[in-house]
């Protein structure tokens, strides 16, 4: 069993070495999203979608922290920014 895991890991490393950069960035984003979801769930009882909604509400309607009124966003704005 251990030998097959090592072979699979070696094959994975070889395929990552030859993968295009965009694919690697996509994989890194996916792994980060999964870990973020687990941490938010474990520490705060939130799903990653719930954390995203709270972040949008914290930033308000603007494109940055400086713009918009924190705590306010329309349903359409929430949907657009969380998708």
């Amino acid at each position: 069993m251990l030998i097959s895991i090592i072979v699979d890991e070696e094959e994975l490393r070889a395929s990552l070495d030859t993968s295009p950069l965009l694919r690697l960035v996509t994989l890194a984003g996916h792994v980060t999203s999964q870990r973020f979801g687990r941490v938010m769930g474990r520490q705060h009882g939130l799903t990653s979608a719930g954390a995203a909604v709270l972040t949008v509400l914290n930033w308000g309607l603007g494109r940055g922290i400086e713009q918009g009124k924190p705590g306010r966003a329309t349903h359409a704005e929430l949907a657009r920014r969380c998708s």
Side-chain angles (χ1 to χ4, degrees):
M1 182 75 168
L2 181 61
I3 294 172
S4 66
I5 293 173
I6 293 172
V7 170
D8 292 340
E9 187 175 318
E10 288 174 1
E11 289 174 10
L12 177 62
R13 286 182 189 276
S15 71
L16 290 175
D17 283 341
T18 59
S19 293
L21 182 59
L22 187 56
R23 172 138 172 82
L24 296 176
V25 170
T26 302
L27 287 171
H30 181 70
V31 169
T32 302
S33 176
Q34 285 182 331
R35 289 185 181 177
F36 177 75
R38 280 194 297 261
V39 168
M40 293 304 286
R42 197 175 318 123
Q43 292 181 359
H44 306 289
L46 290 171
T47 63
S48 53
V53 168
L54 290 177
T55 302
V56 170
L57 288 173
N58 184 47
W59 285 354
L61 290 169
R63 298 192 127 214
I65 295 174
E66 312 82 36
Q67 300 176 358
K69 295 186 179 195
R72 294 183 179 222
T74 64
H75 292 114
E77 182 71 11
L78 282 173
R80 184 183 66 76
R81 292 190 64 193
C82 290
S83 63

